[in-house]
Amino acid sequence: MWSTCAAKTSKAVVKQLKEGEGYNLIHPVYCLNLINDIGFESEPNEFYHDYAIVNVAHSDRIIEGFRFVFVELPKFRPESIAEKKMAVLWLRFLTEINKKTEEAPAELLENEATRKALSIVEKSAMSEDQLYAYDKFWMAVTDEEGFWIRGLMLTYQLRLYRTTS
């Protein structure tokens, strides 16, 4: 299990860079492992296990950018209604969203966290040409919205000025 996690995490890092690009472009990688079994017997009440790469002699020195997260599903017991709802949303995200998904369920789009995850997944699935077109589109929208927002602010300032003078 550990060697598979290390290999997949390393691969995810390597795939981020093209030849000649700087290492500063690398984003952190989280290796998420959902385990439908009890894998950590020494921690009977904990279902979430977050591992980092640390210096053995000085465990406060962490190598950032690599995390290995294990979630033991049989130990997971959401207590509040909000926790239960989020658990269901994330399990739906993990089981329903795949490369064949064309439209995400409304419930996943309504929640900020799962909506952001959907956006990340959608972006990561794009080809270089699609990503370029996507970025170009959003730059144009941002420019248009920025102008529109400045126009609203200007209108508001003029109205405020007229009512106070």
Side-chain angles (χ1 to χ4, degrees):
M1 171 171 72
W2 292 106
S3 57
T4 303
C5 290
K8 289 187 178 197
T9 304
S10 299
K11 184 177 179 182
V13 170
V14 170
K15 286 176 68 176
Q16 290 184 44
L17 292 180
K18 296 185 180 108
E19 191 173 331
E21 288 184 327
Y23 292 111
N24 61 322
L25 298 174
I26 295 175
H27 297 285
V29 175
Y30 290 80
C31 181
L32 175 62
N33 301 273
L34 300 176
I35 305 169
N36 198 18
D37 196 5
I38 305 296
F40 298 85
E41 293 290 341
S42 61
E43 299 151 355
N45 296 323
E46 295 179 17
F47 69 91
Y48 180 86
H49 309 278
D50 183 0
Y51 287 83
I53 299 175
V54 300
N55 181 313
V56 175
H58 306 280
S59 61
D60 60 321
R61 297 181 189 166
I62 300 171
I63 296 176
E64 295 298 333
F66 294 98
R67 292 304 264 260
F68 305 94
V69 177
F70 298 88
V71 178
E72 294 176 281
L73 296 176
K75 290 183 187 177
F76 178 68
R77 305 274 186 262
E79 294 177 14
S80 70
I81 291 174
E83 287 176 345
K84 289 177 182 178
K85 183 177 179 183
M86 281 308 298
V88 168
L89 285 175
W90 281 115
L91 288 173
R92 285 191 64 196
F93 174 85
L94 292 168
T95 57
E96 294 178 23
I97 304 301
N98 57 45
K99 58 184 160 188
K100 295 177 185 174
T101 304
E102 291 185 21
E103 190 172 325
E107 298 85 0
L108 296 179
L109 292 168
E110 291 166 2
N111 179 276
E112 184 180 349
T114 52
R115 184 175 56 246
K116 185 175 180 181
L118 286 165
S119 174
I120 292 168
V121 168
E122 180 182 21
K123 219 173 166 185
S124 70
M126 292 181 186
S127 70
E128 235 178 278
D129 290 339
Q130 289 172 322
L131 194 54
Y132 176 76
Y134 176 85
D135 287 340
K136 191 174 177 180
F137 169 78
W138 281 111
M139 284 183 358
V141 168
T142 303
D143 288 345
E144 188 175 313
E145 283 181 356
F147 179 75
W148 186 65
I149 290 170
R150 284 192 296 273
L152 280 180
M153 288 169 46
L154 180 61
T155 303
Y156 174 74
Q157 289 170 347
L158 287 174
R159 285 185 188 156
L160 182 63
Y161 178 75
R162 286 183 187 151
T163 58
T164 58
S165 55

